[in-house]
């Protein structure tokens, strides 16, 4: 997804959230929800491809979810929004696993988290939403690992990147990977 404001997107969780929401919500809905933030300017930057590089960072997805759930819109320190989302999910049992799509493009497997965010948006007042988000991410990533394992014969999955500092996600991923026989 595009990250409006480039590096600012890592500090201001509302930026990746607005970018993601722009894929399925009307501009007026986004501007209303983010009335205390420069949503209109961000949407314009996205429309005009101004200072909005594409990012594959899983961390930005967690930041966006924290913002959509009104948990944290701006980080005072690195990964604050994602950590607050983790804290909101800690100890909670998911009530639903938000879906993600796996597809293949140019011989690469990709995860489409749009369906996950569509359900997160609809379910944003649910106290289990943070846990549901984590579960959706873990289930999708483990399913994709299984698909790749079937094609390559690889039987082990390595988890790396800052997103796996999140113990809720890490525990869910380990459980899902084991379920997938990895």
């Amino acid at each position: 997804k595009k990250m409006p404001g480039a590096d600012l997107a890592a500090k201001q969780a509302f930026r990746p959230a607005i970018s993601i929401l722009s894929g399925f919500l009307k501009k007026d809905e986004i501007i209303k929800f983010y009335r205390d933030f420069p949503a209109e300017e961000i949407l314009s930057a996205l429309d005009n491809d101004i200072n909005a590089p594409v990012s594959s960072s899983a961390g930005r997805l967690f930041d966006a979810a924290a913002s959509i759930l009104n948990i944290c819109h701006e980080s005072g320190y690195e990964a604050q929004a994602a950590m607050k989302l983790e804290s909101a999910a800690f100890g909670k049992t998911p009530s639903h696993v938000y879906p993600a799509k796996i597809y293949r493009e140019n011989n690469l497997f990709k995860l489409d988290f749009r369906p996950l965010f569509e359900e997160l948006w609809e379910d944003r007042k649910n106290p289990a939403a943070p846990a549901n988000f984590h579960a959706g991410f873990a289930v999708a990533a483990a399913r994709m690992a299984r698909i790749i394992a079937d094609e390559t014969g690889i039987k082990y999955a390595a988890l790396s990147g800052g997103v796996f500092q999140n113990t809720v996600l890490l525990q869910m991923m380990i459980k899902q990977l084991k379920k997938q026989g990895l």
Side-chain angles (χ1 to χ4, degrees):
K1 202 69 187 152
K2 291 181 182 179
M3 292 298 114
D7 289 346
L8 277 178
K11 295 177 181 140
Q12 298 176 332
F14 60 88
R15 289 177 180 277
I18 289 169
S19 178
I20 289 167
L21 293 173
S22 73
F24 61 89
L25 285 182
K26 292 178 181 169
K27 286 183 181 186
D28 291 348
E29 287 179 272
I30 297 168
I31 291 166
K32 182 180 176 189
F33 187 74
Y34 284 104
R35 65 184 163 274
D36 297 331
F37 300 94
E40 205 162 348
E41 291 86 355
I42 291 168
L43 289 165
S44 177
L46 287 167
D47 285 345
N48 295 300
D49 213 13
I50 298 170
N51 197 25
V54 175
S55 172
S56 62
S57 170
R60 298 304 72 78
L61 298 175
F62 283 78
D63 293 346
S67 180
I68 290 166
L69 295 174
N70 270 320
I71 292 169
C72 182
H73 296 291
E74 296 188 70
S75 294
Y77 52 86
E78 188 174 346
Q80 181 180 7
M83 286 191 276
K84 284 188 167 190
L85 180 69
E86 173 189 13
S87 181
F90 190 82
K92 290 195 176 102
T93 302
S95 62
H96 176 64
V97 175
Y98 300 146
K101 290 181 186 169
I102 298 172
Y103 66 98
R104 193 176 203 151
E105 183 178 277
N106 299 325
N107 213 26
L108 293 175
F109 288 102
K110 295 185 178 187
L111 281 168
D112 177 3
F113 288 106
R114 179 180 170 159
L116 185 149
F117 277 96
E118 287 173 347
E119 289 203 22
L120 177 71
W121 174 257
E122 292 301 319
D123 203 30
R124 66 189 177 279
K125 293 188 179 10
N126 179 351
N132 296 350
F133 175 84
H134 280 76
F137 185 96
V139 166
R143 272 189 18 245
M144 189 159 84
R146 177 75 260 165
I147 291 167
I148 293 168
D150 289 343
E151 282 209 2
T152 63
I154 295 170
K155 295 180 170 82
Y156 298 95
L159 305 175
S160 68
V163 74
F164 290 111
Q165 295 295 311
N166 178 326
T167 56
V168 172
L169 178 63
L170 181 62
Q171 289 169 357
M172 286 183 178
M173 279 297 304
I174 290 169
K175 180 180 174 186
Q176 290 301 318
L177 287 167
K178 285 180 179 177
K179 238 178 158 175
Q180 294 291 340
L182 299 169

